[in-house]
Amino acid sequence: MSESRRPQTRKADGTISTTRKPAAVCDQHPVVSRTGPRRSESVRLAVLNAADDLLVERGFAALTIEGIAQRAGVAKQTIYRWWKSKVDILLDTLTDDAREALEWRTGDGGAEAEIRAHLKRVTDFFQEPAGQVMLSLLGHAQLDQATADALRSGFLSEQRRRDIAGLRALFGRTRDDHGIDDRTADHLVDLLLGPLYYRLLVLGKPIDEDLVNSTARFVVTLVRE
C-alpha cells in the first residue's frame, strides 16, 4: 500500500484514478506531526480526509477547525494538540497526496511523450481534492505571509526538487538527448509548469490538451538545441 492517504489505480491511458480510503484505518504506526507530539495514524487520516473534503464542499474561508473535528469524529482539542491551524492541516494533506500524484515516473518512451504524460498527471491532480487544496493555499498565500512562507519553504520547495530530479533523470536516460545540469533543469521547470499555473491561477481557465502538448514540445526543443 502506498503512503498516500487514498489508494490509487492506474487507468489505461496512464492517468491516476483516486479513491478515498476510509477514515477508520489500522492504528499500528504512530507518526510525528511537524507541529505537535506523537499521534495515531488512523486519527491523522481522519482529520486530513475531513479537511480536504470540507474544503471542496465549503471553500477555504468557511473551513474551520470545529468543522474538521466534527467531520473527522475527533475532539477539537486533539486537532489543536497536533496542528496550529487549518493551514497546517491543509499543508499536511497536500504533502501526503502530492507525493505520489506528482511523482515523475520512469518509462521507455521518448522525452516529449513522457513530459506530456507528466503534465497530464499534473492537470489531473488539479481536478482532485488535493489539487483544490493546493490552489486554495496558493490563493491564501497572497494575503497571508505566514502561509506563503510555510508553503514555499515546505511543499513547493520539496516538489521543485522532485521536478528538477525528474527532468534530469529523464533527459539523462533518453538515448537521443544530452543530460542537463541542475541550473538548466531549474529553468526548465519554470518553462514546463509556468503555463499550467498561469492558465489556472491567472486566467481561470482549464488546462487543455493543446497547452500540454505544445509545452512539452517546447521544452524538449530547447534541450535539443
Side-chain angles (χ1 to χ4, degrees), residues 41-221:
E41 180 70 358
S42 61
V43 174
R44 186 183 82 95
L45 294 177
V47 170
L48 298 187
N49 282 335
D52 61 10
D53 284 347
L54 288 172
L55 176 75
V56 172
E57 293 172 15
R58 304 178 184 178
F60 181 87
L63 182 66
T64 64
I65 295 293
E66 290 80 3
I68 295 171
Q70 183 178 15
R71 177 67 64 90
V74 303
K76 183 173 66 173
Q77 292 80 2
T78 299
I79 293 181
Y80 277 121
R81 191 160 60 243
W82 298 334
W83 292 278
K84 296 177 181 179
S85 67
K86 67 181 183 182
V87 168
D88 285 324
I89 298 174
L90 293 175
L91 285 170
D92 271 359
T93 188
L94 175 60
T95 299
D96 266 22
D97 286 335
R99 184 178 295 114
E100 181 173 349
L102 298 182
E103 71 175 342
W104 285 77
R105 303 188 179 101
T106 57
D108 55 4
E112 186 174 333
E114 294 211 9
I115 289 177
R116 282 200 308 268
H118 182 72
L119 292 181
K120 183 62 167 58
R121 287 191 294 272
V122 174
T123 301
D124 291 342
F125 175 76
F126 285 129
Q127 306 305 314
E128 298 288 345
Q132 298 303 305
V133 169
M134 182 177 178
L135 295 176
S136 294
L137 287 171
L138 286 170
H140 187 62
Q142 308 310 305
L143 305 173
D144 183 77
Q145 189 60 47
T147 299
D149 292 342
L151 187 60
R152 290 166 183 161
S153 65
F155 168 75
L156 292 177
S157 292
E158 294 168 7
Q159 184 58 44
R160 189 172 187 85
R161 285 193 292 270
R162 289 191 287 267
D163 289 334
I164 290 173
L167 276 177
R168 291 203 65 189
L170 171 63
F171 286 113
R173 70 172 176 75
T174 50
R175 293 189 300 271
D176 56 345
D177 290 299
H178 300 291
I180 56 176
D181 56 30
D182 277 345
R183 183 172 180 274
T184 300
D186 186 64
H187 291 163
L188 290 177
V189 168
D190 290 339
L191 296 173
L192 188 67
L193 298 174
L196 275 62
Y197 283 88
Y198 183 83
R199 177 70 62 86
L200 278 173
L201 296 175
V202 178
L203 300 181
K205 296 181 179 180
I207 301 168
D208 56 34
E209 186 176 356
D210 285 343
L211 179 62
V212 167
N213 292 343
S214 60
T215 300
R217 184 166 55 252
F218 176 66
V219 168
V220 171
T221 299

Side-chain angles (χ1 to χ4, degrees), residues 2-15:
S2 166
E3 292 181 358
S4 174
R5 292 181 295 114
R6 302 185 182 100
Q8 297 179 323
T9 56
R10 194 178 303 279
K11 301 176 184 177
D13 62 0
T15 60

Side-chain angles (χ1 to χ4, degrees), residues 10-24:
R10 194 178 303 279
K11 301 176 184 177
D13 62 0
T15 60
I16 294 295
S17 174
T18 304
T19 56
R20 294 192 173 278
K21 179 185 289 186

